[in-house]
Amino acid sequence: MAIDEALLNLVRSHMRSVKVPGHHDKVYKDECMFTFDTPESEGGLYVNLSTFQGFGEQFLELDHQRTGNALYLHQKWHRVPLPEEELAKQKAAPEKLAIGGDGGFAVGAPTYRLEKEAALVVLPGRQRVGLPCGDLPELVLQAVNGVLAHDSASAQDTVAVWEEERRVSKYAEALPQLDTGRKISPSPKDWKCDETGVTENLWLNLSTGFIGSGRQNWDGSGGNGAALRHFEATGSRYPLVVKLGTITPHGADVYSYAPDENDMVLDPHLDKHLAHWGINMMQMSKTEKSMAELQIDLNMSYEFSRITESGAALRPLSGPGLTGLINLGNSCYMNSVLQVLWSLPELRRRYVDAADSIFRSAPPEAAQDLPTQLAKVGVALVQGRTGHTAAAPAAPDADGDTAMGGEAGPAKDSDERSHAVRPLSFKTLVGRGHSEFSSGRQQDALEYFQYLLEQMTRCEHANSERLGLSSSPPSSSSFLFGFEDRVQCLESGRVSYVRREENALQLDIPLEAATNKAEVEAYKEREAKRARLKEEQAAAYIGQNDVEGGPTAVVVAQEQGQEEPVIPKVPFAACLERLAAAEVVEGYHSTALGRKASATRRTRFATFPPYLLVALKRYYVGPDWTPKKMEVLVEVPDQLNLEHLRSTGPLPGEELQPQEAAGTGAAAAAAAPPAARTQPDEALVSQLVGMGFSEMGCRRAVLATGNSGVEAAMEWVLAHMEDPDFNDPLPADPEPGAAGPGAGAADADSADPEKVSMLAGMGFNDQQAKAALKACGGNIERAADWLFSHMDDLDSAVASVLSAPAAGRAAGGAGPAAASRVLDGPGQYELVGFISHMGSNTACGHYVCHIKKDGRWVIFNDEKVAESEKPPRDLGYMYLFKRV
């Protein structure tokens, strides 16, 4: 295509900012940085040829103003329906048990092809140069071609999620390489299997030079196994093979057939081993998908069984507030939490209403900015801006294709996807640095909810001026409430009151309170008899029939088919009664007695939050230490009044424990001499160590749970195994009299400089960081929590810590600054949403959520959104109540 000379000169004048993307560059070419616009959106997508960031038409001018770059690659894709004969072929009955391929199941097969247009756009006038155009300067052509050929940032992030951690093969160091005289051509068109002649999925044996076909995948695709057969035929002496087509200057896929490895491995000498066969790594480029990419394809293409409400075909919904979230592969836990959070008006006002301001103030790397990503997701969910052109809703077919689907990776392409977005950038950013949330594995939705609130709190503190939050509490305050534990010594009668803060009310489920215990026991008995009959291959058993005049024996035939299970039904009130009930605590240290004694503990609410998140403890660790799920129905009410559980504080006539009578807070702590630390029960420590945990970690667990028992300590261990100080020795007791005047400043001055620097990187100054480390005994994780919990009155809290002796400092989060984060109010609530989980434990299965919108219940099942007919409130895991 010819180009006007004046336009060509204009392009040349802006070439200074143009770059060619390298292998390690992030190229955001499939989604806008601020919205979910894609090349398929109405205005297409513009990629900055300097920063490689993509922008929809709405934000193109903003990026031009922010960066000064003038040259953009404009991509516009159009969907063209497939011919009828191709569609008919997809619908044909499968001829073999395979997914995809000729004759296999056409799962997720597209019903269209994409016509792609590309142009070079020059701002601010938006002059266009159609591509390809050989008259453009070579640098511009290289940049355009580089962007088009480069893997997109989202594809790289997806691969990173599924990429398994590979270890170095022990056979690589002294790998034997035979001198056969063979040299492998660098051209892929010359490669073929030495045994079968196939030309795809080829693996080169690094020892013998044999090229063989790879093994077959679970879905029938892949190869014919010639490479493995060669390994076995040569005495299993040459285990390392490399996949041809994945070799680049940065590495390749290497597999070890050795029985003690039998996995993808790393070969640190791969360049030398390839050179033996005439292959120069530095001149190779990738021509086939890597094993990680193929694994993604397999995970994403498989369609799991549908999850419906009693098999009903639900009426699909779409529009503002009804946007779905596409499953990224085991990301339903995140999708459900985000849908529930974005139903809060407070969050919408903070991020959606201020979205334009947030985008305009975003840093250059917007993909790494949590306020930007929160606003991006919020705008999509609340305003329904998905970047897609809405299609007319399809009527349900005979198979109920518009009904709600089940857990999978991204599902088949359909109209419902035009009303959903892929929150990959958000998931990547929030999960970065977290061993679980950065992976592609299923997670606990409650843990993610609490982790996300923590990340939002830190983000809002660091960006308080930008977000206009200098005088506003963090978003997490909407869920924060106070618990007050009243502990009474059974010998002295003295009482102590201890307050703590939580953001979720976790309730035990007392199975003994089930209202249908007789039916459950009868069902279990029938199941046991059926199992015996099956084992003995009998057709009947002698049962009992209760009739007038006494029971009589009767022959009971084995039932055909499977009886519907009878599940225990526990009233929600019984869960609250368990929370409110007094419990006996053994080994309580009574300061009035100066020794251990038995005590009773009773828990009440000190404050009630605007939003109360209730989590039912359906999940537990079995006797064999495997995670299990409690199969039980708990009917949760629409309305909830908890005022009868509000704490009254110390009552007239109560005698407080000595430290309580002297006062509370930092002043009382400073006035009192340091108490001797409780010692861990050695018997409990020994039991935990016998389970395989470290001694120091077990000691910490036993102390943290007050020597209350091995079960409580075990739960603490499982929750804190990843803590950085889990295996550290316990800090030594302070020497008597060691903390005199000026000790606070001395402790602060001796803080670890590296830890101070890490805290400063979160937006705090050195003095604040040192005070936090002092208040938390040098533990950086607790120090970060201390800082965020005192952010409403941080200066006074820092001054209090630095002026107080080290031994007399107040416990983090117990002072008035922390209390100011709690938004107390009436304890009367209405149910507005709940998250349900299907699966044997939280590490597998599927999450969906139900949210009440405009007086009706709506089910959000990843990208599928529909009106709910029978919301299963008795099967929920997490319930969100709003204060009324």
Side-chain angles (χ1 to χ4, degrees):
M1 179 180 292
I3 180 173
D4 179 78
E5 188 64 28
L7 181 53
L8 184 58
N9 288 333
L10 183 61
V11 171
R12 289 171 179 153
S13 68
H14 293 298
M15 282 175 49
R16 288 190 301 272
S17 63
V18 172
K19 299 176 183 176
V20 179
H23 179 79
H24 296 290
D25 286 323
K26 291 274 190 178
V27 177
Y28 300 91
K29 65 177 184 177
D30 52 7
E31 185 177 278
C32 175
M33 304 302 292
F34 298 144
T35 69
F36 288 93
D37 285 348
T38 71
E40 290 189 62
S41 299
E42 186 175 354
L45 193 72
Y46 297 82
V47 180
N48 186 313
L49 291 182
S50 178
T51 65
F52 311 126
Q53 294 183 353
F55 296 90
E57 194 153 9
Q58 177 185 1
F59 292 99
L60 177 60
E61 296 292 343
L62 174 61
D63 182 66
H64 171 59
Q65 295 168 10
R66 282 159 47 96
T67 65
N69 178 67
L71 300 183
Y72 290 81
L73 169 63
H74 183 218
Q75 298 181 91
K76 185 71 178 77
W77 299 350
H78 305 273
R79 295 189 180 188
V80 178
L82 291 177
E84 288 296 327
E85 56 269 20
E86 291 192 36
L87 293 176
K89 184 177 179 181
Q90 289 182 9
K91 296 178 181 179
E95 300 173 356
K96 62 180 181 180
L97 188 59
I99 294 179
D102 291 337
F105 289 93
V107 173
T111 59
Y112 59 87
R113 60 181 175 85
L114 287 174
E115 282 190 354
K116 300 182 179 182
E117 299 176 4
L120 180 71
V121 175
V122 187
L123 264 64
R126 298 205 185 192
Q127 293 97 326
R128 299 175 61 85
V129 179
L131 297 175
C133 177
D135 294 337
L136 287 171
E138 183 63 26
L139 177 61
V140 175
L141 288 175
Q142 289 180 4
V144 167
N145 293 333
V147 168
L148 292 174
H150 204 286
D151 287 337
S152 66
S154 62
Q156 291 176 334
D157 289 338
T158 304
V159 170
V161 166
W162 292 97
E163 194 94 59
E164 71 274 29
E165 185 176 344
R166 298 178 184 178
R167 59 182 176 178
V168 174
S169 172
K170 66 180 182 180
Y171 299 98
E173 188 64 34
L175 183 74
Q177 291 193 284
L178 307 182
D179 187 8
T180 65
R182 184 176 191 179
K183 297 299 178 185
I184 306 297
S185 168
S187 175
K189 66 181 181 180
D190 297 328
W191 301 336
K192 63 179 180 179
C193 175
D194 291 338
E195 178 184 325
T196 64
V198 300
T199 58
E200 294 181 349
N201 191 21
L202 300 176
W203 296 75
L204 169 68
N205 190 297
L206 291 173
S207 294
T208 66
F210 179 89
I211 297 177
S213 177
R215 288 185 285 194
Q216 192 175 60
N217 294 320
W218 60 267
D219 69 336
S221 64
N224 54 50
L228 176 60
R229 290 194 293 272
H230 174 74
F231 164 71
E232 295 169 343
T234 53
S236 301
R237 290 176 295 169
Y238 310 118
L240 297 190
V241 292
V242 61
K243 185 175 183 180
L244 297 174
T246 68
I247 304 171
T248 72
H250 306 281
D253 280 352
V254 179
Y255 196 92
S256 173
Y257 286 133
D260 56 346
E261 291 183 336
N262 196 28
D263 203 352
M264 301 298 297
V265 295
L266 296 177
D267 179 2
H269 308 294
L270 182 60
D271 56 343
K272 181 182 71 173
H273 294 155
L274 288 172
H276 179 84
W277 303 108
I279 298 177
N280 185 346
M281 276 184 67
M282 302 307 295
Q283 298 178 356
M284 300 297 290
S285 59
K286 193 172 76 167
T287 59
E288 284 198 24
K289 290 186 177 182
S290 67
M291 295 304 292
E293 291 168 326
L294 289 172
Q295 182 64 35
I296 294 167
D297 290 345
L298 292 175
N299 278 293
M300 299 306 186
S301 65
Y302 189 76
E303 180 161 345
F304 291 77
S305 300
R306 295 182 174 180
I307 301 169
T308 65
E309 293 180 9
S310 302
L314 305 179
R315 185 168 71 90
L317 301 174
S318 62
L322 299 169
T323 301
L325 290 170
I326 294 172
N327 197 305
L328 307 173
N330 289 326
S331 65
C332 53
Y333 68 92
M334 178 191 73
N335 292 350
S336 297
V337 168
L338 289 179
Q339 293 286 9
V340 168
L341 282 177
W342 283 111
S343 68
L344 273 62
E346 295 83 353
L347 206 63
R348 298 200 294 264
R349 287 193 295 268
R350 179 160 292 185
Y351 288 101
V352 178
D353 295 351
D356 286 343
S357 173
I358 292 173
F359 294 151
R360 290 182 180 278
S361 60
E365 288 293 332
Q368 314 304 321
D369 181 55
L370 186 54
T372 297
Q373 296 304 317
L374 283 166
K376 177 178 177 177
V377 172
V379 167
L381 295 184
V382 175
Q383 299 181 354
R385 288 164 52 181
T386 65
H388 300 286
T389 302
D397 60 19
D399 297 324
D401 278 350
T402 58
M404 304 302 291
E407 169 72 339
K412 64 181 180 180
D413 184 85
S414 62
D415 285 342
E416 62 199 6
R417 288 213 149 197
S418 67
H419 307 298
V421 295
R422 296 181 73 244
L424 179 59
S425 297
F426 181 88
K427 182 179 186 297
T428 301
L429 177 60
V430 174
R432 181 165 293 136
H434 193 285
S435 59
E436 289 300 321
F437 298 139
S438 63
S439 73
R441 296 183 289 271
Q442 186 64 281
Q443 303 298 331
D444 186 337
L446 177 60
E447 290 183 7
Y448 186 78
F449 166 81
Q450 294 176 316
Y451 176 78
L452 179 57
L453 287 186
E454 178 185 347
Q455 299 304 305
M456 291 174 63
T457 300
R458 297 183 179 184
C459 155
E460 290 171 356
H461 173 72
N463 294 273
S464 58
E465 291 187 11
R466 174 186 169 198
L467 298 175
L469 305 179
S470 55
S471 59
S472 302
S475 298
S476 57
S477 294
S478 295
F479 302 93
L480 200 64
F481 62 92
F483 259 155
E484 185 172 85
D485 293 329
R486 178 185 182 274
V487 184
Q488 182 172 24
C489 175
L490 292 179
E491 293 188 34
S492 67
R494 297 289 189 100
V495 179
S496 66
Y497 288 86
V498 180
R499 286 198 176 190
R500 52 192 168 91
E501 290 180 355
E502 301 288 348
N503 56 20
L505 175 62
Q506 301 189 50
L507 296 178
D508 291 314
I509 304 176
L511 283 176
E512 65 275 9
T515 58
N516 60 340
K517 285 190 289 187
E519 292 91 335
V520 172
E521 291 303 319
Y523 169 75
K524 289 181 178 178
E525 183 178 348
R526 291 194 298 274
E527 281 291 283
K529 290 177 178 178
R530 278 191 286 263
R532 288 197 298 271
L533 286 173
K534 184 176 181 179
E535 182 178 343
E536 298 168 2
Q537 296 183 344
Y541 61 90
I542 304 299
Q544 177 177 296
N545 188 17
D546 294 322
V547 297
E548 187 177 354
T552 60
V554 60
V555 177
V556 181
Q558 185 176 5
E559 300 175 24
Q560 300 296 320
Q562 187 174 5
E563 181 184 2
E564 184 175 346
V566 179
I567 301 176
K569 298 178 181 178
V570 176
F572 184 74
C575 302
L576 292 176
E577 291 171 4
R578 169 67 65 87
L579 169 73
E583 60 176 333
V584 176
V585 179
E586 300 294 344
Y588 168 70
H589 184 80
S590 173
T591 53
L593 300 176
R595 58 178 172 81
K596 294 181 180 180
S598 297
T600 58
R601 179 170 59 199
R602 188 192 67 189
T603 299
R604 292 291 185 270
F605 287 90
T607 62
F608 288 107
Y611 294 90
L612 179 66
L613 187 81
V614 178
L616 297 181
K617 294 184 179 179
R618 295 181 177 274
Y619 308 94
Y620 63 98
V621 179
D624 56 352
W625 303 109
T626 58
K628 297 182 181 298
K629 180 178 180 179
M630 186 184 300
E631 294 296 339
V632 59
L633 302 177
V634 181
E635 186 64 40
V636 176
D638 279 320
Q639 305 292 328
L640 192 61
N641 190 341
L642 300 176
E643 278 294 336
H644 67 286
L645 295 179
R646 186 185 286 273
S647 168
T648 59
L651 299 174
E654 281 187 338
E655 290 188 86
L656 301 180
Q657 291 283 0
Q659 73 270 25
E660 296 287 334
T664 59
R677 183 185 9 194
T678 303
Q679 297 300 313
D681 186 321
E682 295 298 332
L684 294 177
V685 173
S686 178
Q687 289 184 60
L688 290 173
V689 171
M691 298 175 190
F693 301 106
S694 70
E695 181 180 353
M696 288 301 118
C698 296
R699 289 184 177 278
R700 287 179 178 274
V702 172
L703 280 179
T705 54
N707 291 317
S708 59
V710 68
E711 183 176 349
M714 181 64 190
E715 291 182 1
W716 191 95
V717 167
L718 295 175
H720 292 81
M721 287 180 63
E722 302 300 326
D723 289 358
D725 62 343
F726 180 77
N727 295 310
D728 293 349
L730 294 170
D733 287 326
E735 294 293 332
D747 283 351
D749 290 339
S750 62
D752 186 335
E754 184 177 352
K755 294 180 179 180
V756 171
S757 177
M758 293 176 67
L759 292 173
M762 299 178 186
F764 302 99
N765 60 42
D766 287 358
Q767 187 182 38
Q768 293 166 343
K770 291 176 180 179
L773 289 168
K774 176 197 169 185
C776 301
N779 183 293
I780 190 170
E781 295 293 331
R782 290 199 293 268
D785 291 338
W786 186 92
L787 285 166
F788 289 114
S789 69
H790 289 81
M791 58 187 245
D792 292 329
D793 194 16
L794 188 56
D795 291 340
S796 61
V798 168
S800 175
V801 169
L802 294 180
S803 62
R809 56 175 167 77
S820 66
R821 296 186 305 150
V822 178
L823 307 175
D824 193 17
Q828 299 176 355
Y829 294 95
E830 175 188 5
L831 181 65
V832 294
F834 62 95
I835 296 175
S836 306
H837 174 261
M838 289 147 279
S840 59
N841 59 73
T842 55
C844 63
H846 180 56
Y847 288 94
V848 301
C849 71
H850 289 73
I851 301 174
K852 184 178 286 187
K853 290 182 177 284
D854 300 325
R856 63 180 177 183
W857 283 99
V858 177
I859 180 173
F860 291 84
N861 184 6
D862 292 330
E863 65 267 24
K864 302 173 179 66
V865 181
E867 186 172 351
S868 174
E869 293 185 355
K870 298 178 181 179
R873 292 185 308 180
D874 52 356
L875 289 171
Y877 172 36
M878 299 161 59
Y879 296 83
L880 181 66
F881 288 89
K882 179 182 179 180
R883 183 192 290 158
V884 295

